[in-house]
Amino acid sequence: DDLIGNAMDITPAFCDWNKHVKAPGQCYNTPCTWGVYMCGLNIEYMLEKGLDKIEEEAKLKAEMLYNYMDSTDGFYTN
């Protein structure tokens, strides 16, 4: 009961439990649980690995990709 009617102004509609209680027969769109789950796994992975390491790997991958694109003799153009 402490969650009902105590939502802050910035609370999204689907998290305002008072709206759900006062609107029987209506269902507000709920967030995609798979997307939330995957986002949580991704954030956990990034925190474990470290953002500096992820940035370093991203730069290396970008360098490899752009070097390959530059070596195609104009197949990939801007």
Side-chain angles (χ1 to χ4, degrees):
D1 288 338
D2 60 338
L3 296 176
I4 298 174
N6 296 320
M8 296 175 13
D9 292 339
I10 61 170
T11 304
F14 65 86
C15 292
D16 185 357
W17 303 117
N18 196 38
K19 291 186 186 282
H20 294 274
V21 170
K22 289 189 175 187
Q26 292 184 7
C27 293
Y28 283 90
N29 288 334
T30 56
C32 169
T33 55
W34 177 253
V36 172
Y37 172 71
M38 293 306 293
C39 184
L41 288 179
N42 208 5
I43 290 170
E44 183 179 329
Y45 167 78
M46 291 190 310
L47 291 175
E48 286 176 4
K49 190 163 192 164
L51 296 179
D52 293 336
K53 181 70 173 166
I54 291 173
E55 180 182 17
E56 181 182 315
E57 290 177 355
K59 287 180 180 178
L60 178 63
K61 291 175 187 177
E63 181 182 357
M64 290 170 54
L65 175 64
Y66 288 124
N67 285 342
Y68 172 76
M69 290 171 67
D70 290 342
S71 72
T72 63
D73 296 325
F75 184 78
Y76 295 101
T77 59
N78 207 359

